[in-house]
Amino acid sequence: NYEICTEQRFLRFPHVMHRVGISRSHIYALMKQGQFPQSFPLCGRTVAWLESEVTTWMAARSEPLIDAGNVLSNTAADS
């Protein structure tokens, strides 16, 4: 049973890399291309991302995979 959390959380770089499973340089490359949520400064050289934006990005990336899995499952079931 999932609850909807309206509280925003900040994710620091190590946590973002761990969650999405890609390297620091690849995250920066995607940000530059506008294909990954932009970070924002917290203080000094510390940057963070909104957890909701990272989660939304992950969900959008997995939708085609989930849809392809459903198509494959339905095709196999029809055989």
Side-chain angles (χ1 to χ4, degrees), residues 11-44:
L11 300 179
R12 302 266 314 274
F13 218 138
H15 196 94
V16 171
M17 288 189 299
H18 179 73
R19 292 234 4 224
V20 300
I22 57 178
S23 69
R24 178 181 303 266
S25 59
H26 194 68
I27 289 172
Y28 277 129
L30 290 173
M31 285 173 52
K32 187 174 183 178
Q33 297 168 9
Q35 297 179 9
F36 193 81
Q38 294 294 313
S39 62
F40 57 91
L42 283 180
C43 62

Side-chain angles (χ1 to χ4, degrees), residues 33-74:
Q33 297 168 9
Q35 297 179 9
F36 193 81
Q38 294 294 313
S39 62
F40 57 91
L42 283 180
C43 62
R45 293 174 22 153
T46 303
V47 297
W49 285 259
L50 287 175
E51 182 178 38
S52 60
E53 291 181 358
V54 173
T55 301
T56 300
W57 179 85
M58 291 172 65
R61 296 281 291 213
S62 64
E63 281 178 9
L65 299 174
I66 293 168
D67 290 343
N70 288 339
V71 169
L72 293 175
S73 297
N74 291 339

